[in-house]
Structures are given as C-alpha cells and as structure tokens.
C-alpha cells in the first residue's frame, strides 16, 4: 500500500477510467495541466523541472486561508507510478501523494491515488476540516470528468 503508513491522515481513491493507460499517462505527464483541479486553486509557478509553487485559497465559515504549497515530483516511473511531496511554506501542512496506474482492459485504466498528510499546531482540527471538504465519490467524479475531457 502507501509506503511509511504512520500517524498521518490518509486518503485513498481507487477507480477505473474509460481510457487506455497510454492516454492517462499522456495527461499525467503535464503536471501543470492538472494542478488547477485542486480545490481552491488560484495559481502556480514552475520553479524547477520537478518543482512547483502553488497558491490555493480555502474558506471555512468566516475565515479565508491562503496556502502557499511547494510540490515536488519525487518519482516518475511511466506508465505505473507518480509520487509527489507537498509542503506548506510555513510548515503547517505537509503531505505525500502516490498515483499508481495499471491496464484494466484494452480501453480502461485502474487508477489508485494515495494521499497522506500531517497538519501541525493547535489548529490541526480546523485546518483538517478545510482540507476535507469533498467526499471521495465527488473527487473521483471530478477526476474522471477531467481525464475524459482531454482530447
């Protein structure tokens, strides 16, 4: 499963998309193309070949929170594995994501996304709630729509 399981919070999404594995990876290859999928996306900047700075905004009740994230591609093994690390610039939030894909049928791909994160400090529960605003099925449907919408 996800390497290094520990006290960090985890999320796992597993689904099949009606696209061949090669097409899924042609989409994954362009990281800048799918960063806008993240909830609260404002903008991003590529700072190195495998590193991006990302600004997102999350709203919870009366508070708007801006997150400055550094995303680093740690592993790229096409067509099976993409691994990322995510760190909030003020060290409030850190996490890792792992995307694994396998051919499910001639025109179908099994996608497994694992995400684990840790939120430090006294506002742990508050920020955790800001992150977990959508249920898994909504996230899966957004990802499927995105993948199927790419020509």
């Amino acid at each position: 499963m996800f390497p290094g399981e520990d006290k960090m919070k985890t999320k796992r999404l597993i689904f099949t998309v009606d696209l061949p594995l090669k097409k899924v990876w042609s989409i994954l290859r362009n990281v800048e193309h799918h960063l806008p999928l993240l909830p609260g996306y404002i903008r991003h900047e590529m700072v190195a070949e495998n590193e991006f700075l990302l600004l997102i905004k999350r709203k919870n009740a009366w508070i708007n929170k801006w997150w400055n994230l550094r995303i680093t591609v740690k592993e790229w093994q096409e067509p099976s594995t993409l691994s990322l690390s995510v760190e909030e610039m003020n060290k409030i939030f850190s996490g890792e994501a792992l995307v694994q894909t396998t051919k499910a049928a001639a025109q179908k791909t099994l996608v497994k996304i694992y995400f684990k994160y840790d939120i430090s400090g006294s506002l742990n529960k508050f920020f955790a709630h800001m992150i977990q605003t959508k249920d898994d099925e909504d996230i899966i449907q957004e990802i499927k729509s995105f993948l199927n919408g790419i020509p």
Side-chain angles (χ1 to χ4, degrees):
M1 186 161 152
F2 200 14
E5 287 285 342
D6 50 30
K7 293 181 182 181
M8 296 178 91
K9 293 175 179 35
T10 61
K11 180 174 276 294
R12 179 177 63 183
L13 304 170
I14 300 174
F15 57 94
T16 302
V17 64
D18 294 330
L19 292 170
L21 183 60
K22 188 174 183 175
K23 176 67 174 175
V24 170
W25 273 89
S26 72
I27 296 167
L28 287 177
R29 201 175 290 121
N30 186 351
V31 175
E32 289 188 271
H33 190 68
H34 48 80
L35 284 175
L37 279 178
L38 294 170
Y41 172 86
I42 302 294
R43 69 175 177 269
H44 72 275
E45 172 187 354
M46 184 175 191
V47 294
E49 182 179 352
N50 291 326
E51 192 171 312
F52 300 87
L53 297 179
L54 175 68
L55 177 64
I56 61 175
K57 178 182 172 184
R58 303 295 296 158
K59 184 175 182 163
N60 187 19
W62 67 95
I63 296 177
N64 286 320
K65 173 64 180 158
W66 298 82
W67 299 70
N68 289 297
L69 304 175
R70 178 178 306 276
I71 298 175
T72 306
V73 176
K74 294 172 32 177
E75 181 181 10
W76 188 272
Q77 292 184 357
E78 192 171 330
S80 63
T81 305
L82 170 62
S83 174
L84 308 165
S85 67
V86 180
E87 182 178 47
E88 199 276 331
M89 303 302 269
N90 293 321
K91 310 290 187 205
I92 293 171
F93 171 89
S94 64
E96 296 179 19
L98 175 65
V99 179
Q100 296 177 319
T101 57
T102 54
K103 183 177 181 177
Q107 297 296 314
K108 292 183 183 255
T109 301
L110 177 65
V111 179
K112 297 178 183 178
I113 301 172
Y114 303 97
F115 185 61
K116 70 177 184 176
Y117 60 93
D118 184 39
I119 302 169
S120 60
S122 60
L123 297 175
N124 183 321
K125 288 182 181 180
F126 173 75
F127 287 120
H129 177 73
M130 289 179 74
I131 290 171
Q132 299 172 343
T133 56
K134 293 185 178 183
D135 68 20
D136 292 356
E137 194 55 40
D138 288 341
I139 295 169
I140 289 170
Q141 288 308 315
E142 284 185 25
I143 294 169
K144 284 182 171 185
S145 295
F146 171 76
L147 291 172
N148 287 317
I150 303 294

